[in-house]
Amino acid sequence: MKHMALIITIVLMSFGNGASQINSFEETHLNHPDNSLKVFNFEELQSYLSEKDAKKTYVINFWATWCAPCVKELPYFEQLNAKYSNHNVEVILVSLDFPKQIETKLKPFLKKNALKSEVVVLDDVDSNTWIPKVNKNWSGAIPATLIYNKDKKAFYERSFNYQELETEVKQFIK
């Protein structure tokens, strides 16, 4: 129940000054080349949350189109993805958009903003079960980011600017 309250708070926050941030982000990008999406339940998503390639650092961001702070930081993840793709860094954006809005809201958003990072959708209503599996201290609020490699793992329940995000990732790729 506490997770639902946090999500409702985020939704209400997104209707404030976030609208202008969303519009400016949308206006700076062109068309998403691929309109197909992988939709997973949490069990299927778990492979993204644990080591796949011992040489890579993974940056997993939980976000939604209705979350203004999430949309505001998306360009920083895109910038990081572009700058560090040759440094074995992989950015994966896990959308928590409502399933009934995937076709009407998420896909048009992706197309308009031409996100280059991999985008997957988490469609699992049992958030009280899977949220603590991502991180035992996660309240369920978004944006939230998991950064990990074979040596370490860190979880952040907060927004980033580019410099903050890059600083955190550099600690993983030394």
Side-chain angles (χ1 to χ4, degrees):
M1 196 62 163
K2 71 176 185 177
H3 300 245
M4 185 56 92
L6 287 168
I7 290 173
I8 291 169
T9 301
I10 292 168
V11 169
L12 293 174
M13 286 174 31
S14 71
F15 289 108
N17 63 2
S20 63
Q21 294 164 342
I22 293 169
N23 291 337
S24 67
F25 176 62
E26 289 175 349
E27 291 167 6
T28 61
H29 291 76
L30 302 174
N31 294 319
H32 190 278
D34 181 8
N35 212 18
S36 64
L37 283 174
K38 294 177 189 173
V39 179
F40 298 123
N41 62 32
F42 184 74
E43 185 177 312
E44 295 165 325
L45 180 71
Q46 279 187 300
S47 66
Y48 282 81
L49 305 178
S50 58
E51 183 182 332
K52 295 189 287 187
D53 182 337
K55 297 177 183 176
K56 282 191 178 184
T57 294
Y58 295 91
V59 180
I60 314 291
N61 179 253
F62 293 86
W63 70 287
T65 58
W66 46 261
C67 166
C70 300
V71 171
K72 180 180 179 182
E73 72 176 4
L74 279 177
Y76 311 135
F77 286 93
E78 286 293 282
Q79 187 178 348
L80 184 84
N81 188 41
K83 184 173 180 179
Y84 287 94
S85 62
N86 293 333
H87 295 85
N88 284 325
V89 173
E90 185 173 342
V91 174
I92 301 167
L93 304 173
V94 180
S95 170
L96 300 179
D97 279 277
F98 304 115
K100 66 182 179 185
Q101 294 181 331
I102 290 172
E103 294 297 325
T104 59
K105 190 158 186 176
L106 179 59
K107 283 187 177 182
F109 178 89
L110 297 175
K111 183 177 181 182
K112 187 173 187 177
N113 294 296
L115 300 180
K116 304 289 187 226
S117 302
E118 181 176 2
V119 177
V120 299
V121 177
L122 177 56
D123 180 10
D124 193 325
V125 296
D126 192 10
S127 59
N128 288 329
T129 299
W130 62 258
I131 285 173
K133 290 179 182 177
V134 174
N135 183 274
K136 65 181 180 167
N137 297 316
W138 186 16
S139 72
I142 56 175
T145 303
L146 173 66
I147 303 174
Y148 73 91
N149 60 23
K150 68 179 180 68
D151 298 320
K152 69 185 208 175
K153 183 181 269 192
F155 182 79
Y156 310 87
E157 187 174 4
R158 56 170 285 219
S159 297
F160 284 101
N161 64 37
Y162 181 74
Q163 185 177 23
E164 294 165 339
L165 181 60
E166 184 178 43
T167 298
E168 294 302 323
V169 169
K170 282 182 176 181
Q171 294 179 38
F172 286 80
I173 59 175
K174 289 181 179 177

